[in-house]
Amino acid sequence: LESVTMILLKLTGLLSLLSIYTLLPNAIAVEVQRQDVGSDDGVRKRDGLDTSKIYPQHSTRTLNSPKGSISLTTLTLDENLNDGNVWLIEFYAPWCGHCQAFANSYEAVAHKVHSNPSPKTKQGRVAKINGDEERATASRFNIIGYPSFFVVDGWSVYEYKGSRTVDALVNYVQGGYKEDSPLPIWSSPMGPIGMIQASMFWVSAKFLTLFDTLQKNYGLSPTLAAMCFAGAGIVLGLFTMIFVAVMLSVKVKEE
């Protein structure tokens, strides 16, 4: 029983370190994103570049009848992808020359898809994600270059590798993607690993919300709020260890 307890203790410590390693980068990304959304001018800037002039900002939620492309973030991606539509998503970076050159054309793609839905397929939605800021989502989609395009239809994800033209992208999201094979489930952003990444980010966001609540509603300092989190984690880990140890001891006595 003592050896089992030591194993559980080591396992709990390992899981705690793994959680910190996984959640901390996501938590930092969430906080940066929230500060950016809460800015007075609503303009995203990086290294002095006003990217709103290149990529006009749109609502982060799906619109009933959008015209231009819809800007998505890591926090709003999955809630929109679950709306039953087919999504064409561009990953771009403000410093990418190819992205800047194609920006107006991509808005033309959005206007065509949103204004002229195909009667043979699901409603199309055209979105874009700033991969330079939404690095958690860029990692989930395994982005290695900009711009990158994907079509998401339910749980199936298709990577677009055709020519970068308005008509080609419109045809692809309006049914052309069905001629390609979807990404393998083990590497798909909507597969088990991808959904685990999304869940971890969701947990990170909830932790940050609770952290803010402890500070704003209860007047705790950041240090004290962090100590509360650490204490809760230790208590939960000990409770889990004790529960497992008791269950194992009961089983041994029965045998």
Side-chain angles (χ1 to χ4, degrees):
L1 185 59
E2 292 180 358
S3 61
V4 172
T5 303
M6 290 301 298
I7 293 175
L8 290 174
L9 181 60
K10 293 179 180 179
L11 182 60
T12 301
L14 180 61
L15 290 176
S16 299
L17 291 175
L18 181 61
S19 299
I20 294 173
Y21 175 79
T22 305
L23 292 176
L24 185 57
N26 290 342
I28 294 173
V30 173
E31 185 62 26
V32 171
Q33 175 182 310
R34 290 168 59 184
Q35 291 176 358
D36 184 51
V37 172
S39 61
D40 294 334
D41 56 8
V43 176
R44 292 173 181 255
K45 295 181 178 179
R46 180 177 177 83
D47 299 330
L49 175 64
D50 185 348
T51 59
S52 65
K53 297 179 180 179
I54 302 174
Y55 296 95
Q57 295 301 300
H58 298 276
S59 171
T60 55
R61 293 183 178 275
T62 305
L63 306 178
N64 292 328
S65 57
K67 295 299 181 184
S69 61
I70 304 168
S71 293
L72 297 179
T73 67
T74 303
L75 295 179
T76 61
L77 175 64
D78 288 282
E79 65 178 289
N80 282 294
L81 294 184
N82 293 328
D83 65 355
N85 295 317
V86 178
W87 285 83
L88 170 65
I89 303 175
E90 176 200 20
F91 282 86
Y92 72 92
W95 45 261
C96 171
H98 295 292
C99 301
Q100 296 175 20
F102 191 67
N104 291 334
S105 297
Y106 194 66
E107 292 303 316
V109 172
H111 182 78
K112 280 193 173 185
V113 172
H114 296 157
S115 302
N116 302 295
S118 174
K120 299 180 180 179
T121 59
K122 300 178 183 177
Q123 176 65 44
R125 287 288 185 265
V126 178
K128 60 191 176 188
I129 297 176
N130 185 341
D132 201 36
E133 292 185 353
E134 309 298 334
R135 297 186 180 183
T137 300
S139 175
R140 178 179 171 187
F141 278 76
N142 194 29
I143 301 300
I144 58 176
Y146 299 104
S148 293
F149 302 91
F150 295 85
V151 165
V152 180
D153 183 3
W155 297 103
S156 300
V157 181
Y158 303 81
E159 184 176 4
Y160 178 74
K161 298 181 179 180
S163 59
R164 200 182 303 154
T165 63
V166 174
D167 290 339
L169 281 167
V170 171
N171 291 334
Y172 195 75
V173 71
Q174 290 186 337
Y177 66 91
K178 295 181 179 180
E179 299 178 3
D180 293 339
S181 299
L183 296 178
I185 189 172
W186 57 83
S187 62
S188 172
M190 302 301 290
I193 297 178
M195 296 309 297
I196 289 175
Q197 289 178 307
S199 299
M200 295 297 285
F201 198 93
W202 181 87
V203 171
S204 302
K206 293 301 180 181
F207 270 118
L208 279 176
T209 300
L210 180 58
F211 186 79
D212 288 342
T213 301
L214 290 176
Q215 294 183 76
K216 295 177 180 178
N217 296 354
Y218 297 96
L220 299 183
S221 65
T223 302
L224 188 56
M227 292 177 64
C228 290
F229 271 104
I234 293 174
V235 171
L236 181 61
L238 290 175
F239 177 80
T240 303
M241 290 173 55
I242 293 172
F243 176 79
V244 174
V246 169
M247 295 302 295
L248 288 176
S249 64
V250 171
K251 184 177 180 179
V252 171
K253 289 181 180 180
E254 289 179 352
E255 292 177 353

